[in-house]
Amino acid sequence: MRSTQYLLSTMKETPSDAEIVSHQLMLRAGMIRKLASGLYTWLPSGLRVLQKVERVVREEMNRAGSIEISMPVVQPADLWHETGRWDKFGPELLRIQDRHERDFVLGPTHEEVVTELVRKEISSYKQLPLNLFQIQTKFRDEVRPRFGVMRSREFLMKDAYSFHIDDECLEKTYQVMFDAYCRIFDRLGLEYRPVIADTGSIGGSTSHEFHVLAESGEDAIVFSDGSDYAANIEKAEALAPQQERAAAAQTLELVDTPNAKTIAELVEQHGLAIDKTVKTLIVKADDEAQQRLVALMVRGDHELNEIKAEKLDGVASPLEFASEEEIREAIGAAPGSLGPINLDLPLIIDRSVAVMSDFGAGANIDDKHYFGINWDRDLALPTVADLRNVVEGDPSPCGKGHLSIKRGIEVGHIFQLGEVYAQSMNAKVLTDQGKTKVMTMGCYGIGVSRIVAAAIEQNHDEYGLKLPKALSPFALGIIPMNLHKSHRVAQLADKYYQQALEQNIDVLFDDRKERPGVMFADMELIGVPYVIIIGDRSIDKGVVEVKHRASGEKHEIAIDAVFEHLA
Ligand code: ATP
Ligand code: MG
Ligand code: MG
Ligand code: MG
C-alpha cells in the first residue's frame, strides 16, 4: 500500500470524548469513526486488524471441527416467541417491523435461528454431533454503549453452536472448543484467563468466560495464585463462606487499598452505591481526607444509623459523624469544595462501584486490606450480596492458593446449554433405539471486534499501537527520506516495496511529501512493527536503517540483507 493511495486518517490530538486508551488510539490511528452511539465505521487500518483477528478465529474454528455458515441478521419474532426470549430479553433486543407489520428482531445472538435450521436439517443421531459457526454482525441495544468498539451496539461476533445426542458428547465438544479458544487467544498474543462464569440469562449449566486482563476491564474476576482456579466475581461470591455473608449484612466496611485508585477517583468515575439495608458504615483509611470523602458520599439519601472512621490498623479515629452538618463542620467544607464531589449529587447511580467487607489480610498486599469493586454492569443496584463478595487474599475455593482480583475484558464466552433451546423449539432426533430424543446443545461466542480494542489495551505505548505482528495493520513500513528529490532513494524504496508485495508482506510505503517526523509518527501510531528508513547518507555506506517498534532499536543493515534480517 502506498500512503498517497491510502486513507491514513491519523490524528495528533487525543479526542476528548474517548475515555480509555484503546478507544483514543483507535480514533487517533484512523481505525474507526463513530457514526452514531454504538455504531462505528471501520476505516482501512482498523479493518485490517479486525480481519486478522477474524482469520485466526476462523482457522481455529475450522481446526476444531466447526463448520462455517452464515445466518441472517434479521430474524422473525416467531422463533423468539417459541423460546420465550421475546419477552425475557428486554430492551437490548431491537425489534422491528416489515411493511406487512410483521415483527422481527435484529439478532443479538443466534440460538433460535440455528436451532430452527438444525431441527429441519437433522433427523438422526447419525448426523450428530454437529458444530456450526459464523462470523457475523450482531446488534444489541446496549443501555450504555461506550469505549468505542469495546461495547458497541453493532459488533462482530464469532458464534458457534454444537448439537449432540447426549450431554457426554456435549462435554467433549465443549472441551475441544475450550482448547480452541485458548489457542486463539495465545495466537493473538493476549494475556488472558479463562474463568468460571455465571450462565445468566442464556441458561444452561456449565459456562466459562475468557477475559483479557486490563485495568479498563468492566468485569472483576478472582483467581488463585496456587492453581488454575478462576471465576467471575458472582460465582466466587457464591462460594464464599456463609458467616462472611451474615457479617456483612448489617455493617459495611469501606477499606482503603495501597495500590488501587483512591476512593475519591472511583467515586468520581463510577458513583458509589451501598445497599439500603446497611445500617452501620465503617470507613477504613489512613488518609483522613478519604475517610471524610467516603463518609460524605454515602450520606445522602441513606439511612445509616452510624458512620465511623477508622485507621487501617483498626484504631478508631476521632471522625464520628452523626449528621451531614457535623460532617461539613468537621471538614470545614462547602458543597462542591471536595474536588468534583458535590454534596447535592445523588449518591446512588445505577452502574456502581460496590465494596468491601472485613475479610482477612491479602497475601500479596502484606497485611493491608483492600478496596474492592464489582463492575458487573448487568446488575442494577448492588445488593448486600454483591457488596461483600470481594475476597482478595482469601483461600481459594479450590483449596489451593489464595485469591486475587483483577479486572478483565470479556472476549469469549462458552456455555453448555443442555436441552433448554432444543426443548422449547422441539428439536429432536431419532436415537439408535428408534426413539425420539431432544438434542443437547452448546454455544460459543467470541467478540471479534471487541478483541481489537482489548488487544490495544494490552499493547500500546505513548506513541501508539504496539500490536504483535499477527495483528498489526501493516507488517512492514518503508520511509524514504527525500523521496521526491533523490533518485537513488526512490529506486531503492520501490525495490523494497515490490519485493515485499511479492512476498505477501503487508507493507506501507510512505510516498507522501511529508516531513520525516510526520512519517515516523504515523508509523509509530499505527504500530508498524518494522520500518525501513532509506536515505542518501546510509546508501553511501551501503546500508539502510531498520527500526523495530517493540524495542525502539535501530539497526543498520546491508542493503541486500534487509529481508533476511526481517525474516
Ligand atoms: P458483556 O458482559 O460484555 O455485556 P455478554 O456476556 O452480554 O457481554 P455474550 O452474550 O456472552 O456477551 O456474547 C459473546 C461475546 O460477544 C462476549 O464475550 C463479548 O466478547 C462480545 N460482546 C458482547 N456484547 C458486546 C458489545 N456490546 N460490543 C462488543 N462485543 C460484545
Ligand atoms: Mg451484555
Ligand atoms: Mg458478560
Ligand atoms: Mg457473556
Short mmCIF file of all heavy atoms in Angstrom, two decimals, residues 370-422:
data_model
loop_
_atom_site.label_atom_id
_atom_site.label_comp_id
_atom_site.label_asym_id
_atom_site.label_seq_id
_atom_site.Cartn_x
_atom_site.Cartn_y
_atom_site.Cartn_z
N TYR A 370 -8.13 -4.07 51.45
CA TYR A 370 -8.20 -3.60 50.07
C TYR A 370 -9.56 -2.95 49.87
O TYR A 370 -10.48 -3.09 50.67
CB TYR A 370 -8.06 -4.78 49.11
CG TYR A 370 -9.15 -5.75 49.36
CD1 TYR A 370 -10.34 -5.64 48.68
CD2 TYR A 370 -9.04 -6.68 50.38
CE1 TYR A 370 -11.39 -6.46 48.98
CE2 TYR A 370 -10.08 -7.49 50.68
CZ TYR A 370 -11.26 -7.39 49.98
OH TYR A 370 -12.31 -8.17 50.29
N PHE A 371 -9.64 -2.30 48.77
CA PHE A 371 -10.90 -1.69 48.37
C PHE A 371 -11.39 -2.46 47.16
O PHE A 371 -10.71 -2.52 46.15
CB PHE A 371 -10.64 -0.23 48.00
CG PHE A 371 -11.85 0.52 47.60
CD1 PHE A 371 -12.67 1.07 48.55
CD2 PHE A 371 -12.17 0.69 46.27
CE1 PHE A 371 -13.79 1.79 48.18
CE2 PHE A 371 -13.29 1.40 45.90
CZ PHE A 371 -14.10 1.96 46.86
N GLY A 372 -12.50 -3.09 47.27
CA GLY A 372 -12.95 -3.96 46.18
C GLY A 372 -14.06 -3.33 45.39
O GLY A 372 -14.79 -2.50 45.88
N ILE A 373 -14.16 -3.75 44.17
CA ILE A 373 -15.21 -3.19 43.33
C ILE A 373 -15.88 -4.27 42.53
O ILE A 373 -15.27 -5.25 42.16
CB ILE A 373 -14.64 -2.14 42.34
CG1 ILE A 373 -13.36 -2.68 41.75
CG2 ILE A 373 -14.47 -0.83 43.01
CD1 ILE A 373 -12.78 -1.78 40.74
N ASN A 374 -17.11 -4.07 42.30
CA ASN A 374 -17.85 -5.00 41.47
C ASN A 374 -18.33 -4.23 40.25
O ASN A 374 -19.09 -3.29 40.36
CB ASN A 374 -19.05 -5.53 42.25
CG ASN A 374 -19.81 -6.55 41.45
OD1 ASN A 374 -19.76 -6.54 40.22
ND2 ASN A 374 -20.50 -7.42 42.12
N TRP A 375 -17.86 -4.64 39.12
CA TRP A 375 -18.11 -3.88 37.91
C TRP A 375 -19.25 -4.43 37.08
O TRP A 375 -19.43 -4.02 35.96
CB TRP A 375 -16.87 -3.90 37.02
CG TRP A 375 -15.73 -3.24 37.63
CD1 TRP A 375 -14.84 -3.78 38.48
CD2 TRP A 375 -15.34 -1.87 37.45
NE1 TRP A 375 -13.92 -2.85 38.84
CE2 TRP A 375 -14.20 -1.67 38.22
CE3 TRP A 375 -15.86 -0.81 36.70
CZ2 TRP A 375 -13.56 -0.45 38.27
CZ3 TRP A 375 -15.21 0.38 36.75
CH2 TRP A 375 -14.08 0.57 37.54
N ASP A 376 -19.91 -5.41 37.59
CA ASP A 376 -20.88 -6.06 36.71
C ASP A 376 -22.02 -5.13 36.33
O ASP A 376 -22.88 -4.80 37.11
CB ASP A 376 -21.45 -7.30 37.39
CG ASP A 376 -22.08 -8.20 36.35
OD1 ASP A 376 -22.66 -7.68 35.38
OD2 ASP A 376 -21.99 -9.40 36.51
N ARG A 377 -22.01 -4.74 35.10
CA ARG A 377 -23.00 -3.79 34.62
C ARG A 377 -24.38 -4.38 34.55
O ARG A 377 -25.36 -3.69 34.44
CB ARG A 377 -22.65 -3.30 33.21
CG ARG A 377 -21.25 -2.90 33.02
CD ARG A 377 -20.84 -3.20 31.61
NE ARG A 377 -21.18 -4.56 31.25
CZ ARG A 377 -20.45 -5.60 31.61
NH1 ARG A 377 -19.39 -5.46 32.35
NH2 ARG A 377 -20.81 -6.81 31.24
N ASP A 378 -24.43 -5.73 34.53
CA ASP A 378 -25.73 -6.34 34.35
C ASP A 378 -26.56 -6.27 35.63
O ASP A 378 -27.75 -6.51 35.60
CB ASP A 378 -25.57 -7.80 33.92
CG ASP A 378 -24.96 -7.85 32.52
OD1 ASP A 378 -25.26 -6.96 31.72
OD2 ASP A 378 -24.18 -8.76 32.28
N LEU A 379 -25.92 -5.96 36.73
CA LEU A 379 -26.69 -5.80 37.95
C LEU A 379 -27.28 -4.41 37.96
O LEU A 379 -26.65 -3.46 37.51
CB LEU A 379 -25.76 -5.93 39.15
CG LEU A 379 -25.13 -7.31 39.34
CD1 LEU A 379 -24.09 -7.22 40.42
CD2 LEU A 379 -26.21 -8.30 39.71
N ALA A 380 -28.45 -4.29 38.49
CA ALA A 380 -28.97 -2.95 38.70
C ALA A 380 -28.27 -2.42 39.95
O ALA A 380 -27.07 -2.35 39.98
CB ALA A 380 -30.47 -2.99 38.85
N LEU A 381 -29.00 -2.10 40.98
CA LEU A 381 -28.33 -1.68 42.20
C LEU A 381 -27.69 -2.90 42.86
O LEU A 381 -28.29 -3.95 42.91
CB LEU A 381 -29.35 -1.08 43.16
CG LEU A 381 -29.75 0.33 42.84
CD1 LEU A 381 -30.76 0.79 43.87
CD2 LEU A 381 -28.55 1.24 42.84
N PRO A 382 -26.50 -2.74 43.37
CA PRO A 382 -25.91 -3.88 44.05
C PRO A 382 -26.66 -4.16 45.35
O PRO A 382 -27.09 -3.24 46.03
CB PRO A 382 -24.48 -3.42 44.34
CG PRO A 382 -24.52 -1.95 44.27
CD PRO A 382 -25.65 -1.56 43.36
N THR A 383 -26.84 -5.39 45.63
CA THR A 383 -27.46 -5.77 46.89
C THR A 383 -26.35 -6.05 47.87
O THR A 383 -25.17 -6.02 47.51
CB THR A 383 -28.28 -7.06 46.71
OG1 THR A 383 -27.34 -8.08 46.34
CG2 THR A 383 -29.31 -6.90 45.61
N VAL A 384 -26.74 -6.35 49.10
CA VAL A 384 -25.72 -6.70 50.09
C VAL A 384 -24.88 -7.86 49.55
O VAL A 384 -23.67 -7.90 49.70
CB VAL A 384 -26.36 -7.07 51.43
CG1 VAL A 384 -25.31 -7.67 52.36
CG2 VAL A 384 -26.95 -5.82 52.05
N ALA A 385 -25.57 -8.78 48.91
CA ALA A 385 -24.85 -9.95 48.37
C ALA A 385 -23.74 -9.52 47.43
O ALA A 385 -22.69 -10.12 47.38
CB ALA A 385 -25.82 -10.87 47.65
N ASP A 386 -24.00 -8.47 46.70
CA ASP A 386 -22.98 -8.00 45.75
C ASP A 386 -21.88 -7.23 46.44
O ASP A 386 -20.79 -7.07 45.91
CB ASP A 386 -23.62 -7.10 44.70
CG ASP A 386 -24.77 -7.78 44.03
OD1 ASP A 386 -24.62 -8.96 43.67
OD2 ASP A 386 -25.82 -7.16 43.92
N LEU A 387 -22.22 -6.73 47.61
CA LEU A 387 -21.26 -5.85 48.28
C LEU A 387 -20.19 -6.60 49.03
O LEU A 387 -19.14 -6.06 49.32
CB LEU A 387 -22.00 -4.93 49.26
CG LEU A 387 -22.96 -3.94 48.62
CD1 LEU A 387 -23.66 -3.14 49.70
CD2 LEU A 387 -22.23 -3.03 47.68
N ARG A 388 -20.44 -7.81 49.37
CA ARG A 388 -19.46 -8.47 50.24
C ARG A 388 -18.74 -9.59 49.52
O ARG A 388 -18.28 -10.52 50.12
CB ARG A 388 -20.16 -9.02 51.48
CG ARG A 388 -21.41 -9.77 51.16
CD ARG A 388 -21.34 -11.20 51.49
NE ARG A 388 -22.57 -11.84 51.06
CZ ARG A 388 -22.67 -12.38 49.88
NH1 ARG A 388 -21.67 -12.37 49.04
NH2 ARG A 388 -23.79 -12.96 49.53
N ASN A 389 -18.67 -9.45 48.23
CA ASN A 389 -18.16 -10.62 47.51
C ASN A 389 -16.68 -10.53 47.14
O ASN A 389 -16.17 -11.41 46.48
CB ASN A 389 -19.00 -10.86 46.27
CG ASN A 389 -18.99 -9.66 45.36
OD1 ASN A 389 -18.15 -8.79 45.54
ND2 ASN A 389 -19.88 -9.62 44.42
N VAL A 390 -16.02 -9.50 47.52
CA VAL A 390 -14.64 -9.38 47.06
C VAL A 390 -13.72 -9.99 48.09
O VAL A 390 -13.71 -9.58 49.23
CB VAL A 390 -14.28 -7.90 46.81
CG1 VAL A 390 -12.88 -7.80 46.27
CG2 VAL A 390 -15.27 -7.31 45.83
N VAL A 391 -13.01 -10.99 47.69
CA VAL A 391 -12.34 -11.83 48.67
C VAL A 391 -10.84 -11.95 48.40
O VAL A 391 -10.28 -13.00 48.51
CB VAL A 391 -12.99 -13.22 48.70
CG1 VAL A 391 -14.34 -13.15 49.36
CG2 VAL A 391 -13.13 -13.79 47.30
N GLU A 392 -10.23 -10.84 48.05
CA GLU A 392 -8.80 -10.89 47.80
C GLU A 392 -8.05 -11.43 49.01
O GLU A 392 -8.30 -11.03 50.13
CB GLU A 392 -8.28 -9.48 47.45
CG GLU A 392 -6.80 -9.46 47.20
CD GLU A 392 -6.43 -8.73 45.92
OE1 GLU A 392 -7.33 -8.26 45.22
OE2 GLU A 392 -5.22 -8.66 45.64
N GLY A 393 -7.14 -12.36 48.76
CA GLY A 393 -6.35 -12.90 49.85
C GLY A 393 -7.02 -14.06 50.55
O GLY A 393 -6.39 -14.78 51.33
N ASP A 394 -8.28 -14.27 50.29
CA ASP A 394 -8.97 -15.42 50.87
C ASP A 394 -8.43 -16.70 50.27
O ASP A 394 -7.98 -16.71 49.13
CB ASP A 394 -10.47 -15.33 50.56
CG ASP A 394 -11.22 -14.71 51.71
OD1 ASP A 394 -10.57 -14.16 52.59
OD2 ASP A 394 -12.46 -14.79 51.70
N PRO A 395 -8.56 -17.79 51.04
CA PRO A 395 -8.18 -19.07 50.43
C PRO A 395 -9.07 -19.34 49.22
O PRO A 395 -10.24 -19.00 49.21
CB PRO A 395 -8.48 -20.09 51.53
CG PRO A 395 -8.67 -19.32 52.78
CD PRO A 395 -9.06 -17.92 52.41
N SER A 396 -8.48 -19.91 48.19
CA SER A 396 -9.26 -20.24 47.01
C SER A 396 -10.25 -21.35 47.31
O SER A 396 -9.93 -22.28 48.05
CB SER A 396 -8.31 -20.68 45.90
OG SER A 396 -9.05 -21.28 44.87
N PRO A 397 -11.45 -21.28 46.76
CA PRO A 397 -12.43 -22.35 46.98
C PRO A 397 -11.93 -23.71 46.50
O PRO A 397 -12.43 -24.74 46.93
CB PRO A 397 -13.63 -21.92 46.13
CG PRO A 397 -13.44 -20.48 45.89
CD PRO A 397 -11.97 -20.21 45.93
N CYS A 398 -10.94 -23.70 45.62
CA CYS A 398 -10.42 -24.99 45.15
C CYS A 398 -9.44 -25.58 46.14
O CYS A 398 -8.97 -26.70 45.97
CB CYS A 398 -9.75 -24.83 43.79
SG CYS A 398 -8.16 -24.02 43.90
N GLY A 399 -9.13 -24.83 47.21
CA GLY A 399 -8.25 -25.37 48.24
C GLY A 399 -6.78 -25.08 48.01
O GLY A 399 -5.96 -25.33 48.88
N LYS A 400 -6.42 -24.58 46.84
CA LYS A 400 -5.01 -24.32 46.56
C LYS A 400 -4.79 -22.83 46.33
O LYS A 400 -5.40 -22.25 45.44
CB LYS A 400 -4.56 -25.08 45.32
CG LYS A 400 -4.40 -26.56 45.56
CD LYS A 400 -3.74 -27.22 44.36
CE LYS A 400 -4.10 -28.68 44.31
NZ LYS A 400 -4.63 -29.10 43.03
N GLY A 401 -3.91 -22.25 47.13
CA GLY A 401 -3.54 -20.85 46.92
C GLY A 401 -4.57 -19.88 47.46
O GLY A 401 -5.55 -20.25 48.12
N HIS A 402 -4.32 -18.61 47.18
CA HIS A 402 -5.18 -17.54 47.64
C HIS A 402 -5.73 -16.77 46.45
O HIS A 402 -5.14 -16.77 45.38
CB HIS A 402 -4.41 -16.60 48.57
CG HIS A 402 -4.06 -17.26 49.87
ND1 HIS A 402 -2.98 -18.11 49.99
CD2 HIS A 402 -4.67 -17.22 51.07
CE1 HIS A 402 -2.94 -18.55 51.23
NE2 HIS A 402 -3.95 -18.04 51.91
N LEU A 403 -6.83 -16.09 46.71
CA LEU A 403 -7.49 -15.38 45.61
C LEU A 403 -6.92 -13.99 45.43
O LEU A 403 -6.63 -13.29 46.39
CB LEU A 403 -8.99 -15.27 45.89
CG LEU A 403 -9.75 -16.59 45.86
CD1 LEU A 403 -11.20 -16.34 46.24
CD2 LEU A 403 -9.66 -17.25 44.50
N SER A 404 -6.76 -13.59 44.20
CA SER A 404 -6.52 -12.19 43.93
C SER A 404 -7.54 -11.73 42.90
O SER A 404 -8.23 -12.54 42.28
CB SER A 404 -5.09 -11.95 43.45
OG SER A 404 -4.86 -12.69 42.29
N ILE A 405 -7.63 -10.42 42.77
CA ILE A 405 -8.69 -9.86 41.93
C ILE A 405 -8.07 -9.01 40.84
O ILE A 405 -7.15 -8.24 41.11
CB ILE A 405 -9.62 -8.98 42.77
CG1 ILE A 405 -10.22 -9.82 43.91
CG2 ILE A 405 -10.72 -8.37 41.92
CD1 ILE A 405 -10.72 -8.98 45.04
N LYS A 406 -8.54 -9.19 39.64
CA LYS A 406 -8.08 -8.31 38.57
C LYS A 406 -9.28 -7.93 37.71
O LYS A 406 -10.30 -8.59 37.74
CB LYS A 406 -7.05 -9.02 37.70
CG LYS A 406 -5.73 -9.16 38.38
CD LYS A 406 -4.60 -9.33 37.40
CE LYS A 406 -3.29 -9.27 38.15
NZ LYS A 406 -2.19 -9.88 37.45
N ARG A 407 -9.09 -6.91 36.94
CA ARG A 407 -10.16 -6.54 36.03
C ARG A 407 -9.94 -7.20 34.69
O ARG A 407 -8.81 -7.33 34.22
CB ARG A 407 -10.20 -5.05 35.88
CG ARG A 407 -10.91 -4.43 37.06
CD ARG A 407 -11.27 -3.05 36.74
NE ARG A 407 -10.73 -2.21 37.79
CZ ARG A 407 -10.51 -0.92 37.64
NH1 ARG A 407 -10.76 -0.36 36.48
NH2 ARG A 407 -10.06 -0.21 38.63
N GLY A 408 -11.05 -7.59 34.08
CA GLY A 408 -10.94 -8.29 32.82
C GLY A 408 -11.95 -7.79 31.79
O GLY A 408 -12.99 -7.23 32.14
N ILE A 409 -11.58 -7.98 30.54
CA ILE A 409 -12.48 -7.67 29.42
C ILE A 409 -12.98 -9.01 28.89
O ILE A 409 -12.17 -9.85 28.48
CB ILE A 409 -11.72 -6.93 28.31
CG1 ILE A 409 -11.15 -5.61 28.83
CG2 ILE A 409 -12.64 -6.69 27.11
CD1 ILE A 409 -10.13 -4.97 27.89
N GLU A 410 -14.28 -9.20 28.89
CA GLU A 410 -14.83 -10.48 28.43
C GLU A 410 -14.73 -10.55 26.91
O GLU A 410 -15.43 -9.84 26.20
CB GLU A 410 -16.30 -10.61 28.87
CG GLU A 410 -16.90 -11.95 28.49
CD GLU A 410 -18.41 -11.99 28.64
OE1 GLU A 410 -18.95 -11.42 29.60
OE2 GLU A 410 -19.05 -12.61 27.77
N VAL A 411 -13.85 -11.42 26.42
CA VAL A 411 -13.69 -11.54 24.97
C VAL A 411 -14.28 -12.84 24.43
O VAL A 411 -14.45 -12.99 23.22
CB VAL A 411 -12.21 -11.42 24.53
CG1 VAL A 411 -11.73 -9.99 24.68
CG2 VAL A 411 -11.33 -12.39 25.30
N GLY A 412 -14.59 -13.76 25.32
CA GLY A 412 -15.19 -15.00 24.85
C GLY A 412 -16.05 -15.60 25.93
O GLY A 412 -15.87 -15.33 27.13
N HIS A 413 -17.04 -16.39 25.50
CA HIS A 413 -17.96 -16.98 26.48
C HIS A 413 -18.49 -18.29 25.90
O HIS A 413 -19.04 -18.29 24.80
CB HIS A 413 -19.10 -16.00 26.76
CG HIS A 413 -19.83 -16.29 28.03
ND1 HIS A 413 -20.68 -15.40 28.63
CD2 HIS A 413 -19.81 -17.39 28.82
CE1 HIS A 413 -21.16 -15.94 29.75
NE2 HIS A 413 -20.65 -17.15 29.87
N ILE A 414 -18.31 -19.37 26.63
CA ILE A 414 -18.82 -20.66 26.14
C ILE A 414 -19.78 -21.26 27.16
O ILE A 414 -19.62 -21.08 28.37
CB ILE A 414 -17.66 -21.64 25.82
CG1 ILE A 414 -16.77 -21.89 27.03
CG2 ILE A 414 -16.82 -21.09 24.67
CD1 ILE A 414 -15.65 -22.90 26.78
N PHE A 415 -20.81 -21.95 26.66
CA PHE A 415 -21.87 -22.49 27.52
C PHE A 415 -22.18 -23.94 27.16
O PHE A 415 -22.22 -24.28 25.98
CB PHE A 415 -23.21 -21.79 27.27
CG PHE A 415 -23.29 -20.36 27.63
CD1 PHE A 415 -22.82 -19.39 26.77
CD2 PHE A 415 -23.91 -19.96 28.81
CE1 PHE A 415 -22.95 -18.05 27.07
CE2 PHE A 415 -24.04 -18.61 29.12
CZ PHE A 415 -23.56 -17.66 28.26
N GLN A 416 -22.46 -24.73 28.15
CA GLN A 416 -23.17 -25.98 27.91
C GLN A 416 -24.65 -25.67 28.15
O GLN A 416 -25.07 -25.51 29.28
CB GLN A 416 -22.70 -27.08 28.86
CG GLN A 416 -21.30 -27.58 28.53
CD GLN A 416 -20.81 -28.65 29.49
OE1 GLN A 416 -21.61 -29.36 30.09
NE2 GLN A 416 -19.51 -28.75 29.64
N LEU A 417 -25.39 -25.55 27.09
CA LEU A 417 -26.79 -25.12 27.23
C LEU A 417 -27.70 -26.27 27.63
O LEU A 417 -28.78 -26.06 28.17
CB LEU A 417 -27.29 -24.55 25.90
CG LEU A 417 -26.64 -23.25 25.43
CD1 LEU A 417 -27.06 -22.95 24.01
CD2 LEU A 417 -27.02 -22.11 26.35
N GLY A 418 -27.29 -27.50 27.32
CA GLY A 418 -28.18 -28.62 27.57
C GLY A 418 -29.36 -28.58 26.62
O GLY A 418 -29.23 -28.20 25.46
N GLU A 419 -30.53 -28.90 27.16
CA GLU A 419 -31.70 -29.05 26.28
C GLU A 419 -32.57 -27.80 26.18
O GLU A 419 -33.59 -27.81 25.48
CB GLU A 419 -32.57 -30.21 26.79
CG GLU A 419 -31.88 -31.56 26.68
CD GLU A 419 -32.78 -32.70 27.12
OE1 GLU A 419 -33.90 -32.42 27.63
OE2 GLU A 419 -32.38 -33.86 26.95
N VAL A 420 -32.18 -26.71 26.90
CA VAL A 420 -33.10 -25.55 27.01
C VAL A 420 -33.73 -25.13 25.67
O VAL A 420 -34.94 -25.09 25.54
CB VAL A 420 -32.41 -24.30 27.59
CG1 VAL A 420 -33.33 -23.56 28.55
CG2 VAL A 420 -31.08 -24.61 28.21
N TYR A 421 -32.88 -24.83 24.70
CA TYR A 421 -33.43 -24.32 23.43
C TYR A 421 -34.07 -25.43 22.60
O TYR A 421 -35.15 -25.26 22.03
CB TYR A 421 -32.34 -23.60 22.62
CG TYR A 421 -31.95 -22.33 23.30
CD1 TYR A 421 -30.91 -22.31 24.23
CD2 TYR A 421 -32.67 -21.16 23.08
CE1 TYR A 421 -30.58 -21.15 24.89
CE2 TYR A 421 -32.34 -19.99 23.74
CZ TYR A 421 -31.30 -20.00 24.65
OH TYR A 421 -30.99 -18.85 25.32
N ALA A 422 -33.38 -26.56 22.54
CA ALA A 422 -33.90 -27.66 21.74
C ALA A 422 -35.26 -28.13 22.27
O ALA A 422 -36.17 -28.45 21.51
CB ALA A 422 -32.90 -28.81 21.73
#
